[in-house]
Amino acid sequence: MSIAELRRQLNLGKVSAKELVDEHLSRIKKVDTKLNAFLEITAEKALADAIRVDEARAAGCVLPPLAGIPIAIKDNLCTKGVTTTCSSRMLEHFVPPYESTVTERLWQSGAILIGKTNLDEFAMGSSTETSAFGSTLNPWDTSRVPGGSSGGSAAAVAAGECIAALGSDTGGSIRQPASFCGVVGLKPTYGRVSRWGLVAFASSLDQVGPFATSVADAAEILQVIAGSDSRDATSLKVPVPNYLASFDKPLSGLRVGLIKECFEQKGLSAQVKKSVLDAANLLQSLGVELIEISCPRFNDGIATYYVIAPSEASANLARYDGVKYGYRSDSAEDLSSMTTQTRTEGFGSEVKRRILIGTYALSAGYVDAYYKKAQKVRTLIRRDFESAFKKVDILLTPTAPTTAFSVGSHTADPVSMYLSDLLTIPVNLAGLPAISLPCGFDTSGLPIGVQLIGNVLDEPRLLQIAHQYEQSADVIANQPNGELIP
Ligand code: GLN
């Protein structure tokens, strides 16, 4: 049921916030032992908050837009008084003394925290397998990964354990798991949403965004979390438009670009390609004009990202030294070996790999050849998009080259894992907004996602096209499987 419909029912008294929370808690109880989407379930707090919403309603108060809606939060967003682990031993017992801006805005809008979701350690990964607290599994097929790094949030929404969720996207971590789990995932324009209280991975790329079962629900969440924030120096000081206002405006006259390089990828599955091209054709039948676009530097995205993101990560993760907060090894005799031991024991191997790559790329003698060179290529990738948006309004690609892969199939080969973000990473390098939405199923019954990319701050048009596609395609209603995780 959509957030708008739930709001109606809550207002009419057909359902109470407490009933809604109870329902989702029992769903979690039923399926999460199989999925492991949640690291912590905040049942007591959720029930208390729901009762407060119901009391306020009974007292005749005018309630904010998300009053009583149970939402799950990726465990790299700080929640005051609620453990925030980043799925790392390093922060296993870290209880933030403050609330992130995005979650603060959700609670002010009446939303209810139902729990914190699993992720790849420090959001580094594409499968939620690098979590220190066990992998999350895909609700469509538990032998498959849910994608990552926000795999817990994507799986929780897909399996009906919450109404919506927040994730973070540095190179695809909202869109790729949304695609693997058959839900909607939106990465806003860089700077549209505050990063304050999001545990930093790669600060020039990180962005928070929603997972939901419909474009309208994703827009409702964005409406609440978007907007400038003096505590994040990169947050944009521009007004937030009404994201739902242009949902039903006709699409005729809009131009949608198909990025040629994306459809020519060697690793692109034939079924994914067909389903995404079918989505483009459906959009054409709704009145858009399809245009082929070339972004010659698109394929340099992965190499560029895997210099820039680890470089920023190596700087950001330097703070975990065993002194200020987080894990501290007690097996060392002096300060320097304490730091070494703490980091050796506290970080998993993928995080260590990123720190090593980043430290190398930034070190004297190599910084020009790697980090600075990567920054130049990043500019070229951005320019490709700039010239594309002179010709079209929106770009369309598959979200990921394949559907959800089998658990364990990529863990021994990091590069094969990295390649699953081939189609999402350039978008982060350019700071653009993009959405992944379900467009079909492969022959194994696994969902396929189409990615729509917008120009800077053009979320309204992105959501308008996505919504109208969703309404005519009705992909999930026509899904071939029975109940997910029955
Ligand atoms: N999979 C990519 C990585 O491991 C992207 C992760 C993300 O967006 N947080 O870096």
Side-chain angles (χ1 to χ4, degrees), residues 74 123-126 148-149 168-173 201 305-306 354 421:
K74 186 177 183 179
M124 298 172 188
S126 310
S149 65
S168 66
D169 190 314
T170 305
S173 279
F201 163 11
Y305 174 90
Y306 276 99
R354 306 286 177 109
D421 298 311

Side-chain angles (χ1 to χ4, degrees), residues 132-340:
F133 310 117
S135 307
T136 296
L137 302 177
N138 191 313
W140 294 88
D141 174 352
T142 51
S143 72
R144 308 277 176 152
V145 303
S149 65
S150 318
S153 288
V157 171
E161 297 173 278
C162 54
I163 298 293
L166 290 187
S168 66
D169 190 314
T170 305
S173 279
I174 292 174
R175 291 158 288 156
Q176 184 256 25
S179 157
F180 281 14
C181 291
V183 295
V184 175
L186 171 69
K187 181 201 95 73
T189 303
Y190 182 77
R192 176 74 291 185
V193 171
S194 169
R195 288 183 294 110
W196 198 79
L198 166 69
V199 178
F201 163 11
S203 309
S204 77
L205 301 158
D206 298 341
Q207 193 60 194
V208 177
F211 287 94
T213 55
S214 69
V215 176
D217 283 6
E220 289 223 34
I221 306 285
L222 178 65
Q223 196 72 52
V224 165
I225 63 173
S228 76
D229 177 11
S230 58
R231 291 176 297 189
D232 171 3
T234 61
S235 113
L236 297 169
K237 290 180 193 58
V238 284
V240 178
N242 180 340
Y243 290 114
L244 289 132
S246 46
F247 259 39
D248 295 319
K249 271 201 209 142
L251 299 184
S252 51
L254 291 178
R255 297 155 304 169
V256 171
L258 274 59
I259 305 180
K260 187 169 126 237
E261 288 75 11
C262 296
F263 291 92
E264 288 168 355
Q265 296 294 341
K266 268 205 310 285
L268 179 64
S269 121
Q271 293 185 55
V272 169
K273 183 173 176 174
K274 178 177 182 308
S275 171
V276 171
L277 289 173
D278 286 349
N281 289 330
L282 178 62
L283 278 174
Q284 192 176 32
S285 74
L286 296 176
V288 312
E289 183 189 348
L290 298 182
I291 296 172
E292 188 179 79
I293 288 288
S294 172
C295 289
R297 291 286 178 176
F298 199 93
N299 291 335
D300 295 331
I302 292 264
T304 307
Y305 174 90
Y306 276 99
V307 172
I308 293 174
S311 297
E312 294 185 16
S314 81
N316 276 326
L317 272 61
R319 73 190 66 178
Y320 304 105
D321 56 4
V323 176
K324 294 186 275 298
Y325 48 76
Y327 177 74
R328 175 186 298 175
S329 169
D330 54 15
S331 63
E333 273 153 22
D334 56 44
L335 183 63
S336 139
S337 55
M338 186 277 282
T339 300
T340 308

Side-chain angles (χ1 to χ4, degrees), residues 14-44:
K14 292 200 168 147
V15 64
S16 70
K18 177 166 181 304
E19 283 166 349
L20 214 50
V21 165
D22 276 334
E23 234 172 71
H24 286 90
L25 288 175
S26 36
R27 180 73 182 154
I28 292 173
K29 206 166 167 194
K30 184 168 169 213
V31 300
D32 217 60
T33 44
K34 290 176 223 158
L35 297 180
N36 195 33
F38 283 88
L39 294 176
E40 182 173 354
I41 299 149
T42 49
E44 226 172 277

Side-chain angles (χ1 to χ4, degrees), residues 3 6-7 10 17 20 65-71 110-113 163-164 221:
I3 293 178
L6 280 171
R7 189 164 43 231
L10 283 158
L20 214 50
L66 300 180
I69 304 293
I71 289 189
I112 290 177
L113 173 66
I163 298 293
I221 306 285

